[in-house]
Each structure stands twice: as C-alpha cells, then as structure tokens.
Amino acid sequence: MSPTTVSRLLAEQGYSMQANRKRFEAKSNHPDRNQQFQYITEQTKAFQAQGQPVISVDCKKKELIGNYKNTGREYRRVKQPTEVNAHDFPDPKRPKAVPYGVYDISQNTGWVNVGTDHDTAAFAVESIRQWWDHMGKSIYSDATELPIIADGGGSNGYRVNGFKVHLQELADATGLRISVSHLPPGTSKWNKI
C-alpha cells in the first residue's frame, strides 16, 4: 500500500496530520496567580490613566548570525532559492544575535535591541535605556514613573540582583521612579512582548 493510499484512507476515517499543541502547564498553578494578573492589570490601567508609560520586557530567542536556513519564505526567481549552509552548526567565530524586546503597551509599539554577547541583567537594562532614549522620553515627556512588566526568570528575573542594581542606576540617571511587576511562574507566554 502506498503512502498516498494510507493518507487517503486515514482522511476518510477522520484523521489528519497535526502538530502538537501546547496546552498543559508543567507546574501546578500558584494559588494567587489570578490575583497577581488582576494586580498587574489594575496597576497598568492606573499608570496609563496618569499618562505614564507601561512596558513589557523580555529576551527573545537567540539566533545564529550567518548563512543559515530560516523558516521564512520570500519571492525569488523560479528555481533560484537562496543557498545556505547544509548544517546549522554554530560557528565559534561568529556571535549569536540576542534580541531583547521592549513593548509599549499604551502605544502598541515595540523596540528590539540586538546584542551579540549574552542575555545579562546589564544588557536587559541597557535595552530599556535604549528604548527610553530613542522612543520613550519623546512620547512620554512628562513621565515621572516607568512601570515594567517582566517574566519571573532570566536576565530580568525577580531573583536577579544585577537587574535591580542596574534599574536603580537607570532610575538615578533618568529621574524616573521605576517599578517592576513580575508575571507568576509558568505564565511567560502571556507576557505582552
């Protein structure tokens, strides 16, 4: 029996090719999870009502830099695809792109700062500083506060002392009162960025 026949017979029985779908949480829900989300939502609305910016931050997937295969597509002349390396092995001589995103919830706009080293607390705060210098302070010229929503882990995690130290340095340099609300554990997929 050919693969085409098997496929047709399975389709007739109500089967189709499907990818996995993420649905189940790996960890049990924190008992105060819903209250944490409500608090973040209420705080966001309160700051927005005062004309203060509210941003969501996170480091995104690191990408190899170079002649590697990407999953996207583009229009090219027939039978003239872009040729790339046969294997996607990292080249130790080439850095990885480390994108750190800042999403302005009120403006529905994003900012991405791309580094080539590591996702560190210093890099995370420098990305926020770059957003403020290039976008935030011109949009929110009267801002006195900068509320930040972040995941609980990574370079901007609640246990990362370097993140707190660098945020304080940013607050001192800008005169902004900076606060951070961390999303509950296991809920990073709901981070706006």
Side-chain angles (χ1 to χ4, degrees), residues 66-70 74 76 79-86:
N67 197 23
Y68 298 104
K69 180 173 177 21
N70 288 314
E74 65 181 356
R76 308 253 322 154
K79 298 193 181 200
Q80 292 182 12
T82 301
E83 294 184 351
V84 298
N85 297 343

Side-chain angles (χ1 to χ4, degrees), residues 69-132:
K69 180 173 177 21
N70 288 314
T71 56
R73 300 184 305 171
E74 65 181 356
Y75 281 102
R76 308 253 322 154
R77 291 262 183 218
V78 174
K79 298 193 181 200
Q80 292 182 12
T82 301
E83 294 184 351
V84 298
N85 297 343
H87 300 284
D88 289 346
F89 299 125
D91 182 348
K93 297 175 191 163
R94 298 194 75 146
K96 285 186 178 181
V98 183
Y100 191 90
V102 178
Y103 175 67
D104 181 339
I105 295 172
S106 299
Q107 299 294 316
N108 191 28
T109 58
W111 169 270
V112 179
N113 188 33
V114 181
T116 56
D117 194 2
H118 292 88
D119 175 25
T120 64
F123 175 63
V125 175
E126 181 58 26
S127 299
I128 296 167
R129 179 189 311 270
Q130 292 290 325
W131 170 81
W132 178 252

